[in-house]
Amino acid sequence: MNNSTIFKNITVVTPDNNEIKVFKNYFVAVHKNLISYVGPENIDALNSLPENESVYYYDGKGRILLPSFVNAHTHLAMTLMRNHADDTVLHDWLFKMIFPVEAKLRPKDINNGNLLGIIEMIKSGTGACANMYMNYEEFMDAKLALDTGIKLNTVINGGYSDIKS
């Protein structure tokens, strides 16, 4: 098993203060999931890794390496209700279609919806999110975040109530 990876000849896009910087044909060394080097020289990338360690080389020619995206407002478990009710005004959608479905959700359903939402975000390059969804069991989505590695801000006991219209 390789504990280290070197991305070679890759374009690195990174924020730097108030601008975006682009570096072509760079090397990025990663050891145990932590970046140990970013720069133009392969020898420096190798020197940033422990000695006598097997290294996996990834040829990044024609590829871009950039920071993950952040979803600043999500309702993870609502992935379960996607396409449940479309083309409806907000009030009717929420009160007549979504709240009745949510009232029947069990903790297991919410947990599965949270996991589905996290998987979809990770697959699309999102590495952090703020979940604004109700949790029947405290820390339910936080446990999933620990298990999946996504960074999470969560609302615990966010004031959900049985709103009737």
Side-chain angles (χ1 to χ4, degrees):
M1 180 174 147
N2 296 321
N3 284 328
S4 298
T5 302
I6 292 182
F7 296 85
K8 61 182 184 174
N9 306 316
I10 197 154
T11 299
V12 175
V13 177
T14 186
D16 184 18
N17 292 328
N18 292 330
E19 62 182 301
I20 302 296
K21 298 241 176 147
V22 178
F23 303 97
K24 295 187 177 189
N25 298 314
Y26 255 45
F27 292 83
V28 177
V30 179
H31 177 67
K32 293 185 178 177
N33 296 324
L34 295 175
I35 297 171
S36 60
Y37 174 80
V38 177
E41 301 294 328
N42 186 36
I43 193 69
D44 291 336
L46 278 171
N47 289 338
S48 74
L49 300 174
E51 289 184 35
N52 302 323
E53 175 131 349
S54 61
V55 177
Y56 172 75
Y57 283 89
Y58 178 88
D59 187 2
K61 185 174 181 174
R63 307 240 183 220
I64 297 173
L65 189 62
L66 64 152
S68 64
F69 299 108
V70 175
N71 183 337
H73 183 129
T74 187
H75 302 262
L76 287 171
M78 288 189 80
T79 57
L80 299 174
M81 289 161 264
R82 188 178 294 140
N83 296 322
H84 176 73
D86 294 330
D87 302 324
T88 309
V89 296
L90 176 62
H91 186 273
D92 289 346
W93 175 81
L94 196 56
F95 288 91
K96 294 179 181 176
M97 298 170 187
I98 297 303
F99 284 165
V101 171
E102 287 181 332
K104 295 175 184 173
L105 291 177
R106 300 165 298 177
K108 171 173 128 173
D109 301 324
I110 294 173
N111 193 60
N112 290 335
N114 285 340
L115 181 58
L116 176 61
I118 289 170
I119 290 168
E120 288 178 348
M121 284 192 293
I122 290 172
K123 284 187 74 169
S124 65
T126 300
C129 69
N131 189 22
M132 314 293 177
Y133 202 65
M134 61 184 166
N135 288 300
Y136 286 114
E137 296 178 9
E138 287 192 4
F139 308 112
M140 180 187 295
D141 56 354
K143 167 97 173 66
L144 287 174
L146 288 171
D147 292 345
T148 61
I150 198 161
K151 304 301 180 221
L152 173 78
N153 269 340
T154 188
V155 174
I156 307 258
N157 292 327
Y160 178 80
S161 63
D162 292 322
I163 301 171
K164 306 269 191 264
S165 173

